[in-house]
Amino acid sequence: MDNKKLAELMFPNIDKDIEYYEQKYPNRNLPKGAIVTRFAPSPTGFVHMGSLRTAFIARKIATDTGGVFYLRIEDTDEKRSVENGIQGIVEDLENFNFIIDEGRISETKDLGIYGPYLQSERASIYKTFAKHLVEKGFAYPCFATEEELSKIRQFQESKKERIGYYGLYAKSRNFEIKEIESKILSGEKFVTRLKSPGNFSNKVICADLVKGKIEFPENDLDIVLLKSDGIPTYHFAHLVDDYLMRTTHILRGDEWLSSYPVHEQLFKIFGYELPKYCHVAPVNKKDGDSVRKLSKRHDPEAALSYYHEKGIPINAVYLYLMTTANSNFEEWLEQNPKSNLNDYKFEFKKMSASGSLFDLDKLINISKNYISKLSAKEVYDEVINWTKIYDKEFYDILINNKALSIDIFNIEREQKKPRKDFASWSEIKENVFYMFDDYFDYKKVDFSLVNNPEKYKELINLYIDKYYNESDDKNTWFRKIKELSTELGYAPEMNLYKENPTKYKGNVADVSNILRVALTTKTTTPDLYEIMRLLGKEKIAKRFNDLSK
Ligand code: GLU
């Protein structure tokens, strides 16, 4: 067979050769050990939490080693593409402060010199590589129709043989060039198939970075490289793109593991160094007694927009993802409380081969902890960013009351055990609204929430007239609440009350709670002394006054 002629017949318009592209995309000039890796989603318009996790690990190892992380959009499968699907992915990543060194940065733009980073813009590159394979006798055109292929499948099924286009079943392998020529010239459609040199009884080993060594039979399937419209299959695009983009590490879902023998074979045929592989098991979720994949359809937390809308801090999500990625990370963080993710070095050895469970409650806890360690100013800035998008009214209030807001966020913060009230910025308002007159409504105060509130009017009036003094320190403030309690027949100490409950109307905690509910409508709040200090006399008096009407 004249392979050169065949290649020309199949790809008459391809005038470049693979050397051209090899030179155009040279080896990267990076320090030894630098990892080049990528995130390669289809343009589905959103990033799934499981994909973010894999991409986050890839980003981390690239950063740790002084390497490169890029974003490639794989739009060869029309079923997985949606309109503006790239923009959605770019936005999801941006909202997660996810930095890419190069790759697709919008529907139409690339950053970096190893592009285009959108597969549909690489058609002539794939064809050049396919043409090269034909020339070398490793690929051929296949004209088999769907019906013919399905007949082969049915026959193989009936004989309990392996399914696929291989060996004796691969009839198109043996067509004469004349026959091919007349078919092509008459416009018959064909796919480009690999002429696999493999033998099914040989073994290949995938040295997966997490799963360890996995043995497979060598590939002997004449898999499709280019579909009849010239669009590559995942397998062929993986070879071409990851080679030309000089990728050193492939982190991908473990549904690709079984295709490893095909990929290994393609790299071998071209004589290219095989990248390292890490097949990542899916992120699962506990559902009652069973475990299933975290799914966008059933689990809102599978979509990144969920975290953005709720205002769950991105850094908390990343901390959580690292706890699911490396088994010793939590312990490390406990031992290095002042450190952050950048100080931690990811290790494949510490990654579980069998996947991880996504535990939103745990993420929420990590988030509470994370927020509790921020300064009041940092909290303020984050809340400003979030409310600017999701709660404009509250945003304006916070902007107009900056100093007060920071003081509010500072209540019980700078101390050994800071409060851990909230896990997200969307919970802030419900926790602090009463500090602002715009949101406090005395008609919502419900004294039936507290014990022994019968004398509330007398209590709040007596307090403001006789006991309250704006400049009191905390001890004096509390002593006065005890005095107020005594004057109104409430026990000033808990133990006195417990010894003889019938002697009193209630106790000092009831008195504090009446004041608390009167000023905040809530029965639990951070430190009441601090709340009163920040509200100040005028607001307190006004609220008490309204309640006494
Ligand atoms: N587009 C492929 C997917 O979404 C990428 C797999 C890979 O990273 O190689 O599964």
Side-chain angles (χ1 to χ4, degrees):
M1 167 80 76
D2 183 348
N3 290 328
K4 257 207 128 52
K5 182 169 179 202
L6 177 59
E8 215 42 60
L9 271 172
M10 290 171 72
F11 302 101
N13 301 322
I14 293 301
D15 53 4
K16 301 215 165 42
D17 54 17
I18 65 169
E19 286 78 24
Y20 167 83
Y21 291 109
E22 284 172 345
Q23 277 161 26
K24 182 167 180 199
Y25 305 111
N27 266 324
R28 292 168 183 268
N29 192 5
L30 292 169
K32 197 161 176 276
I35 288 177
V36 178
T37 187
R38 80 292 193 278
F39 175 37
S42 298
T44 51
F46 70 94
V47 177
H48 185 281
M49 181 44 84
S51 309
L52 179 75
R53 177 172 176 269
T54 308
F56 162 68
I57 297 169
R59 171 69 272 183
K60 178 77 179 128
I61 55 174
T63 308
D64 282 355
T65 57
V68 174
F69 177 94
Y70 67 87
L71 172 67
R72 180 173 72 226
I73 303 289
E74 306 211 327
D75 61 344
T76 54
D77 182 355
E78 244 174 61
K79 288 195 291 292
R80 299 189 63 201
S81 303
V82 301
E83 214 178 312
N84 302 325
I86 302 175
Q87 199 51 36
I89 288 173
V90 168
E91 270 165 26
D92 263 357
L93 292 178
E94 269 173 14
N95 285 340
F96 259 75
N97 289 349
F98 196 107
I99 311 282
I100 61 169
D101 302 317
E102 58 186 63
R104 201 71 178 179
I105 51 168
S106 73
E107 289 287 339
T108 53
K109 284 205 191 79
D110 276 338
L111 170 74
I113 56 162
Y114 286 82
Y117 298 90
L118 178 66
Q119 287 182 328
S120 55
E121 292 176 5
R122 303 173 62 77
S124 51
I125 308 181
Y126 302 123
K127 284 185 187 152
T128 306
F129 276 68
K131 186 172 186 181
H132 175 86
L133 277 188
V134 178
E135 281 171 7
K136 297 283 167 212
F138 282 112
Y140 62 91
C142 172
F143 301 89
T145 59
E146 273 307 316
E147 281 128 49
E148 284 169 299
L149 293 174
S150 120
K151 267 204 187 121
I152 295 176
R153 200 176 314 119
Q154 280 164 13
F155 181 81
Q156 289 166 335
E157 269 164 6
S158 71
K159 296 271 177 223
K160 299 212 163 17
E161 288 192 25
R162 270 193 304 128
I163 309 291
Y165 204 77
Y166 61 93
L168 293 174
Y169 297 108
K171 293 224 164 53
S172 305
R173 265 188 180 211
N174 307 317
F175 283 177
E176 293 293 331
I177 187 105
K178 279 227 144 45
E179 212 176 338
I180 295 173
E181 187 169 18
S182 77
K183 279 178 188 290
I184 291 181
L185 293 180
S186 69
E188 228 178 278
K189 281 206 174 347
F190 63 88
V191 301
T192 306
R193 280 189 188 272
L194 172 71
K195 191 184 275 183
S196 172
N199 178 340
F200 192 70
S201 44
N202 291 344
K203 300 279 174 242
V204 291
I205 288 173
C206 172
D208 187 275
L209 291 169
V210 167
K211 295 184 192 280
K213 291 194 169 141
I214 304 157
E215 198 179 88
F216 292 98
E218 201 172 66
N219 175 59
D220 67 347
L221 300 180
D222 285 359
I223 55 125
V224 174
L225 302 172
L226 297 182
K227 296 173 228 171
S228 57
D229 50 9
I231 291 180
T233 53
Y234 169 79
H235 311 300
F236 196 51
H238 160 47
L239 166 95
V240 174
D241 295 347
D242 283 314
Y243 170 67
L244 290 180
M245 295 178 188
R246 307 290 172 176
T247 316
T248 63
H249 285 59
I250 312 288
L251 277 72
R252 63 183 180 188
D254 65 1
E255 68 272 21
W256 294 113
L257 181 58
S258 60
S259 308
Y260 172 83
V262 172
H263 306 154
E264 188 257 7
Q265 188 169 67
L266 286 171
F267 276 85
K268 206 152 128 202
I269 290 173
F270 276 92
Y272 297 152
E273 193 184 330
L274 192 66
K276 301 231 175 337
Y277 289 89
C278 169
H279 290 94
V280 183
V283 172
N284 290 321
K285 173 175 166 139
K286 250 198 152 134
D287 190 355
D289 286 339
S290 57
V291 168
R292 59 168 174 78
K293 256 192 192 177
L294 183 72
S295 100
K296 173 117 190 294
R297 196 134 52 92
H298 299 114
D299 313 307
E301 71 269 31
L304 300 198
S305 50
Y306 173 86
Y307 303 86
H308 199 250
E309 281 158 22
K310 281 234 174 331
I312 296 175
I314 294 155
N315 287 347
V317 176
Y318 284 142
L319 286 172
Y320 173 67
L321 287 183
M322 191 53 98
T323 67
T324 73
N326 258 189
S327 51
N328 66 329
F329 175 67
E330 259 182 296
E331 202 186 319
W332 177 89
L333 200 59
E334 258 165 48
Q335 287 160 3
N336 302 278
K338 294 250 172 330
S339 306
N340 61 35
L341 267 174
N342 298 337
D343 307 316
Y344 178 78
K345 215 165 155 58
F346 174 86
E347 283 180 80
F348 283 107
K349 282 202 301 281
K350 304 250 162 63
M351 192 166 163
S352 149
S354 57
S356 70
L357 271 188
F358 195 82
D359 181 349
L360 191 57
D361 292 339
K362 183 157 182 192
L363 195 166
I364 295 294
N365 259 328
I366 287 180
S367 188
K368 283 186 176 163
N369 253 317
Y370 171 77
I371 293 179
S372 77
K373 289 186 191 146
L374 297 179
S375 71
K377 172 72 169 55
E378 285 168 324
V379 171
Y380 178 80
D381 290 341
E382 294 275 9
V383 180
I384 285 295
N385 288 339
W386 186 83
T387 50
K388 192 172 187 176
I389 304 170
Y390 293 106
D391 190 346
K392 193 67 179 54
E393 184 188 86
F394 191 31
Y395 168 83
D396 288 338
I397 291 175
L398 292 169
I399 288 284
N400 294 331
N401 296 277
K402 180 169 177 181
L404 172 67
S405 304
I406 294 176
D407 282 345
I408 293 169
F409 298 144
N410 208 29
I411 297 178
E412 292 187 60
R413 178 162 297 274
E414 283 163 11
Q415 55 191 35
K416 205 154 178 243
K417 286 206 163 147
R419 270 186 88 96
K420 297 178 180 174
D421 297 274
F422 17 80
S424 65
W425 312 128
S426 59
E427 292 164 75
I428 298 266
K429 189 162 145 189
E430 72 206 42
N431 277 281
V432 304
F433 71 91
Y434 49 78
M435 298 303 290
F436 303 98
D437 283 343
D438 303 74
Y439 291 132
F440 177 81
D441 178 1
Y442 75 90
K443 293 192 195 88
K444 298 239 167 77
V445 172
D446 177 3
F447 285 105
S448 73
L449 295 173
V450 295
N451 292 327
N452 311 308
E454 298 75 25
K455 289 202 158 189
Y456 81 87
K457 275 194 189 170
E458 191 182 343
L459 190 151
I460 57 181
N461 284 321
L462 186 60
Y463 178 67
I464 195 86
D465 294 342
K466 183 166 168 192
Y467 290 100
Y468 177 76
N469 180 345
E470 210 168 0
S471 52
D472 281 346
D473 64 15
K474 191 163 178 181
N475 285 336
T476 316
W477 169 84
F478 194 43
R479 184 172 44 76
K480 287 186 174 171
I481 291 185
K482 288 180 182 175
E483 286 170 18
L484 169 73
S485 305
T486 308
E487 183 169 347
L488 290 174
Y490 291 79
E493 305 284 347
M494 225 29 186
N495 55 355
L496 290 177
Y497 180 70
K498 279 191 185 139
E499 275 164 23
N500 201 348
T502 50
K503 194 175 156 199
Y504 301 102
K505 226 181 254 113
N507 61 59
V508 63
D510 300 335
V511 173
S512 301
N513 268 338
I514 291 170
L515 295 173
R516 186 188 313 277
V517 167
L519 292 172
T520 69
T521 71
K522 290 167 82 88
T523 51
T524 50
T525 67
D527 191 49
L528 183 60
Y529 169 75
E530 282 297 323
I531 289 175
M532 288 173 75
R533 190 177 71 78
L534 294 177
L535 283 174
K537 179 151 195 177
E538 209 179 304
K539 276 189 191 161
I540 295 174
K542 162 99 171 57
R543 290 180 188 190
F544 285 171
N545 202 20
D546 287 340
L547 287 165
S548 306
K549 280 181 201 160

